[in-house]
Amino acid sequence: MLYLRDLWRRHRRKVLVTAGVLGSGYLLYKLYDAHKRRLIDLERQLANERENDEFIKAQIQLHFENIQRIADTTTLPHAMPYLSCRIAEDLNLSHLMERLVKGKDQPNSLSSSEKLELWDRLKILSFTRLVVSIWAVTILSLYIRVQVNILGRHLYIDTARGLGSSYLLEEADLIDRDDQQKFLASADFLANHGLPKLISSMQTAATEVLKAKQLRDFFNTAILHETIMQILDMFLSMGSPHHWVDCLMPEDPRLYKLAKTSSDETNPPEFTKFDQLMVETRGVLSSAEFSNVVELSLKAVAKALVEEKGFQYGGGNLTNGMPLARLLPRIAQICPTLVEEPSKNQFIQIIQSVPEVGLFFTLLYSNMSAS
C-alpha cells in the first residue's frame, strides 16, 4: 500500500497529464466526428436542394417550350383569321380595280383626271394595305407570345411555389380563370378597336412617302424594300414614343380607373389581376428591348416579302424591275398571304426564326430583364 502511494506521488503528474491528453484527444475526436456528421448532412441537404432546383429548372424549360407551342397552335390561329378578315374589309381594293378596268374597257366612262385620281388612290391604299398587313402579322404574333409568356410564368409560379425551390423566389397572387380568359381575349383588341387608327396612321405615312413616286417609276426588289421600310419607319416615328401600343391594347387601366375616381374618395380603386397582367404587358411592349425585336422582325418580314415568288413571276420580274403601275396589282395579290392562318404562314415562321426574338422571350419568361 505504501509502495502504491509512493508510486502515485512520483508519477501522479505523468498520470494526470496522460489522462488529460487522452481525455482531450477523445473530446477532440467527438467534436471532429460531430462536425464531420454535420458537414455530411449539410452536403446532403445542399445536394437535395441542387437536385430540386435542377428539377424545377427542367420543368420551367419544358413549360416554356409548351407555352410557345400554345401561342403557335391555339392563341394565334384564333386571332389571325379574324384580323385578316377585318383588314380585307377595311382595305378592300376591288372597287378601285373594277372602276379602272371599266374605264379601260369603256374609255369614255372616266375622264383623264378621274383615272389619275383612281390610280393615285390605288397606289396609296395598296401600299397602306401592304404595310398594315406586314405590321399586323409581326406585331400580333409578338404580342400574343408576350401574353402567353407572362401568363404562363405567373401560372407556373402559382403551382410551383409549393415545391419550396430557391429558384422561384417570386410571390404571385392566384389568377382566376375569368381573368385568364379576359387577358387572352384582349389579343382581338387590334381587330375590334385598334385597326381604324392603325390604318389611318399607316395611310398618312404611305401618302407622305409615295407622294413623289409616279406610276411610271421603275421599281425593283431594292426600291420596293426601301419604300416599305420608309413607310414603316415613318409610322413608328409618328406621335409619342410607342404610340402604336394603343392600337394593340386598351389604355393603361390604372389611368382609366384613377380618372373615374372622384377627388373626395378616400379608397383608391381596386386593380384586378387582369389589370395587373395588362399593365405588365404594356410595360413589356413599351420597353426598348421589345422595340428592338419589333424593328428586327419587320425588317425580316419585309426582306422575305420582296423575295416572295408572287413578285417574281408572270409578266415581268421584280428583280429586273417593272413600272409601279404594273406592281400594284401584284401587291394586292400578295397582301392576303401575309395574314394567312399560322399553319400556312411563312412570315410567322420567319419572325420566330429571328435569333433576337427567341432570346427576348427566353428572358421575358425567366423574368430576368425583358420586363
Side-chain angles (χ1 to χ4, degrees):
M1 191 68 176
L2 290 173
Y3 172 77
L4 291 176
R5 287 180 180 176
D6 184 59
L7 184 64
W8 168 249
R9 281 196 302 269
R10 289 199 308 269
H11 299 286
R12 180 177 61 179
R13 183 178 180 83
K14 294 180 181 179
V15 172
L16 291 176
V17 170
T18 302
V21 170
L22 292 175
S24 298
Y26 179 74
L27 178 61
L28 289 173
Y29 170 77
K30 295 296 290 183
L31 289 174
Y32 169 76
D33 185 62
H35 180 67
K36 183 178 180 181
R37 289 178 182 275
R38 284 197 298 270
L39 286 177
I40 292 174
D41 291 340
L42 180 59
E43 289 176 356
R44 185 182 299 113
Q45 181 181 351
L46 291 175
N48 290 337
E49 288 183 0
R50 284 195 296 269
E51 183 178 350
N52 192 34
D53 283 354
E54 290 301 320
F55 172 75
I56 293 297
K57 291 176 184 178
Q59 290 296 102
I60 287 178
Q61 178 62 30
L62 179 61
H63 191 252
F64 171 75
E65 293 170 358
N66 289 336
I67 285 295
Q68 313 317 305
R69 282 193 289 271
I70 289 172
D72 297 338
T73 61
T74 303
T75 315
L76 193 57
H78 162 78
M80 188 61 72
Y82 181 46
L83 178 61
S84 177
C85 290
R86 293 286 290 110
I87 292 174
E89 291 172 0
D90 290 6
L91 286 169
N92 188 349
L93 306 178
S94 61
H95 63 290
L96 293 177
M97 301 291 290
E98 289 170 1
R99 290 190 64 187
L100 286 170
V101 170
K102 182 179 179 180
K104 183 178 180 181
D105 295 338
Q106 303 175 17
N108 295 329
S109 62
L110 293 173
S111 65
S112 297
S113 60
E114 288 175 329
K115 288 181 181 179
L116 287 175
E117 181 183 355
L118 287 174
W119 273 107
D120 190 62
R121 288 177 59 193
L122 180 63
K123 176 184 70 174
I124 298 300
L125 292 180
S126 294
F127 274 90
T128 298
R129 181 170 177 178
L130 181 65
V131 291
V132 163
S133 299
I134 291 173
W135 191 86
V137 69
T138 301
I139 210 71
L140 185 63
S141 61
L142 294 174
Y143 175 68
I144 286 177
R145 199 170 287 269
V146 168
Q147 278 190 308
V148 297
N149 276 278
I150 288 176
L151 182 59
R153 171 75 178 177
H154 279 280
L155 293 176
Y156 190 81
I157 290 173
D158 287 348
T159 57
R161 280 182 303 167
L163 293 176
S165 170
S166 60
Y167 189 73
L168 291 174
L169 300 177
E170 300 85 351
E171 290 294 330
D173 298 327
L174 293 177
I175 306 173
D176 63 41
R177 186 168 295 275
D178 181 57
D179 281 339
Q180 293 178 40
Q181 292 175 348
K182 283 172 58 181
F183 180 58
L184 293 176
S186 67
D188 286 331
F189 182 88
L190 173 61
N192 286 326
H193 305 287
L195 195 57
K197 179 179 180 180
L198 172 64
I199 290 174
S200 176
S201 298
M202 284 291 191
Q203 187 171 338
T204 299
T207 302
E208 180 64 24
V209 171
L210 295 170
K211 65 182 181 181
K213 298 189 182 296
Q214 306 298 319
L215 295 172
R216 63 178 179 273
D217 287 353
F218 188 82
F219 265 68
N220 57 21
T221 301
I223 295 174
L224 177 59
H225 182 268
E226 180 184 12
T227 303
I228 290 171
M229 293 310 303
Q230 285 177 344
I231 297 172
L232 289 170
D233 289 342
M234 181 166 290
F235 164 74
L236 292 173
S237 63
M238 292 169 59
S240 60
H242 311 295
H243 66 92
W244 45 267
V245 175
D246 292 332
C247 298
L248 270 177
M249 61 187 304
E251 64 180 7
D252 192 329
R254 293 174 298 184
L255 300 177
Y256 176 73
K257 290 192 174 185
L258 287 172
K260 293 189 66 177
T261 304
S262 60
S263 58
D264 58 347
E265 289 186 25
T266 57
N267 295 327
E270 179 183 353
F271 295 108
T272 65
K273 193 62 182 179
F274 167 74
D275 293 333
Q276 295 174 21
L277 290 170
M278 293 297 282
V279 167
E280 185 174 348
T281 301
R282 179 174 282 271
V284 172
L285 299 187
S286 301
S287 67
E289 294 89 347
F290 187 75
S291 294
N292 181 59
V293 166
V294 169
E295 182 180 348
L296 292 173
S297 299
L298 288 172
K299 288 180 179 178
V301 171
K303 181 178 184 297
L305 176 69
V306 298
E307 298 170 354
E308 169 66 25
K309 63 182 181 181
F311 281 134
Q312 305 301 338
Y313 297 103
N317 190 306
L318 186 60
T319 302
N320 298 325
M322 66 180 68
L324 176 57
R326 288 177 58 187
L327 178 62
L328 295 180
R330 299 196 184 191
I331 290 178
Q333 294 172 355
I334 289 292
C335 284
T337 65
L338 281 159
V339 286
E340 278 186 319
E341 61 178 279
S343 62
K344 301 178 181 178
N345 197 318
Q346 63 165 317
F347 300 105
I348 292 177
Q349 303 302 319
I350 289 169
I351 294 168
Q352 295 173 1
S353 67
V354 176
E356 290 81 358
V357 171
L359 177 60
F360 175 84
F361 287 109
T362 299
L363 295 177
L364 175 62
Y365 185 80
S366 63
N367 203 27
M368 289 172 61
S369 65
S371 64

